[in-house]
Amino acid sequence: MYATLLLLTLLFSWQSLFCKLFSDNAKCKDKAAIPIVFTILYGGFIAVSTFCIAGFRFAPSTETLLLGAANGVMLFLYNLSLIKASSQGSYAFTMISALFGGCSLPLITQAVLWDERLSLLQWIGIAVMLVSFVVINGDSLSLKGSKKSFFAWCACLFLANGFYGSLMGSHQQMLPGLEQKEMIIVTFTVAAAIAISYLAITQKKETFNCFKVGKKSGIHGAICVVVASAAANLLLYLLASMSVSIVNVVTNGGTLLLSVVYAFILFREKPSWMKVCGMVLSLAGIVLLSL
């Protein structure tokens, strides 16, 4: 099962990588619109592809409809908050906010609502992983001149990523192994629908031009949505089979670790000693969580 968890982490890291390549190469005039366009494309693709994989069957319960709709809102808010926060202040602090939210809130939800209990070594592993987030981003962490709106968007990012993981985990606690495809379809359909509305309101006559991202960006985007679809389906499978807290911590930490590796191999960004120390801590955390 842990091998499957590592595969999921690898898929999430590829999703993040190709999302970056899509964004970097997109020819959209308004750069702030790119993540919204991406939300529409990958939300729509994941919803449709999952519907096809499910054999064109869609019979969600009331619980799945409510949790999926709420999760779709969180997914859209995550992307919007990431745009706003990263454009107003430290990207390192922005990522720390997202990662801490993605780990801590599902952890609290599982302990309070679903009585999940972890071993001492696993708690230590989670603590080490959280420290690694700060250490890896420590080189570029600066809050000088940051405005209140920046911290507000970081708080929104923290909550959106945290509640996304919490709602996904809670769904599988309520309906273990059931309606996984329906949950994915509802979540990503709602996120895409909100993104379409937001893009139409903010871009008006330029809405359709935002989708003219260019051939190179389009190829990266196509790869990304296929990987993201596989990751979304594998995530719900694991949430029904493993500790939700461990799944969220390992995937968040492992994705950050691999992003540093990709930056070095593909973008020639030599990691500092602080980043190397953070990577070692992250690996140590993953090992402790697997014990």
Side-chain angles (χ1 to χ4, degrees):
M1 195 60 68
Y2 280 98
T4 308
L5 178 57
L6 293 178
L7 173 60
L8 176 62
T9 303
L10 189 62
L11 288 174
F12 276 138
S13 72
W14 289 345
Q15 178 183 332
S16 178
L17 172 63
F18 283 104
C19 181
K20 172 180 169 54
L21 292 172
F22 168 83
S23 179
D24 288 349
N25 291 283
K27 296 179 179 179
C28 186
K29 291 181 180 179
D30 186 354
K31 295 298 182 183
I34 294 172
I36 305 300
V37 170
F38 179 74
T39 301
I40 296 169
L41 296 176
Y42 99 116
F45 180 86
I46 291 174
V48 172
S49 62
T50 302
F51 180 60
C52 294
I53 292 170
F56 305 102
R57 292 189 297 271
F58 181 67
S61 61
T62 302
E63 292 88 345
T64 297
L65 286 173
L66 292 175
L67 289 174
N71 221 21
V73 174
M74 292 302 110
L75 182 56
F76 171 77
L77 284 177
Y78 171 83
N79 287 323
L80 180 63
S81 302
L82 186 60
I83 300 167
K84 297 293 186 180
S86 58
S87 67
Q88 295 181 23
S90 168
Y91 184 70
F93 188 80
T94 299
M95 292 309 299
I96 290 172
S97 300
L99 292 167
F100 266 74
C103 293
S104 60
L105 289 186
L107 188 67
I108 294 169
T109 300
Q110 290 302 305
V112 174
L113 295 182
W114 307 111
D115 200 33
E116 182 178 270
R117 295 292 179 263
L118 301 176
S119 69
L120 177 60
L121 281 178
Q122 288 173 330
W123 278 109
I124 294 173
I126 290 172
V128 170
M129 187 70 79
L130 293 174
V131 171
S132 76
F133 295 164
V134 179
V135 176
I136 288 176
N137 289 286
D139 285 341
S140 53
L141 183 58
S142 174
L143 300 177
K144 186 178 181 180
S146 299
K147 298 180 180 179
K148 290 182 179 178
S149 59
F150 168 69
F151 293 106
W153 282 115
C154 283
C156 185
L157 183 62
F158 174 93
L159 293 171
N161 200 28
F163 280 122
Y164 178 83
S166 298
L167 289 166
M168 279 291 197
S170 293
H171 178 265
Q172 284 307 292
Q173 292 286 350
M174 295 171 66
L175 301 166
L178 302 175
E179 299 187 24
Q180 294 178 345
K181 298 293 188 292
E182 284 85 350
M183 181 65 173
I184 292 171
I185 293 168
V186 175
T187 294
F188 287 93
T189 298
V190 170
I194 297 173
I196 291 172
S197 301
Y198 180 86
L199 194 67
I201 292 170
T202 56
Q203 298 297 320
K204 298 181 174 63
K205 293 181 179 180
E206 292 296 317
T207 298
F208 290 105
N209 290 330
C210 291
F211 290 91
K212 298 177 181 179
V213 296
K215 182 178 179 180
K216 189 174 183 180
S217 179
I219 292 172
H220 291 139
I223 296 172
C224 184
V225 297
V226 172
V227 171
S229 182
N233 282 275
L234 187 56
L235 172 62
L236 275 182
Y237 166 75
L238 281 176
L239 289 177
S241 312
M242 292 184 67
S243 162
V244 173
S245 300
I246 291 177
V247 170
N248 281 292
V249 172
V250 171
T251 52
N252 277 279
T255 299
L256 178 61
L257 186 155
L258 288 171
S259 69
V260 177
V261 175
Y262 296 152
F264 174 64
I265 296 174
L266 300 176
F267 308 116
R268 298 293 186 262
E269 296 179 11
K270 187 176 180 180
S272 65
W273 281 108
M274 184 170 282
K275 276 188 169 57
V276 173
C277 290
M279 293 169 70
V280 172
L281 286 172
S282 184
L283 283 171
I286 291 173
V287 171
L288 288 169
L289 284 166
S290 66
L291 297 177

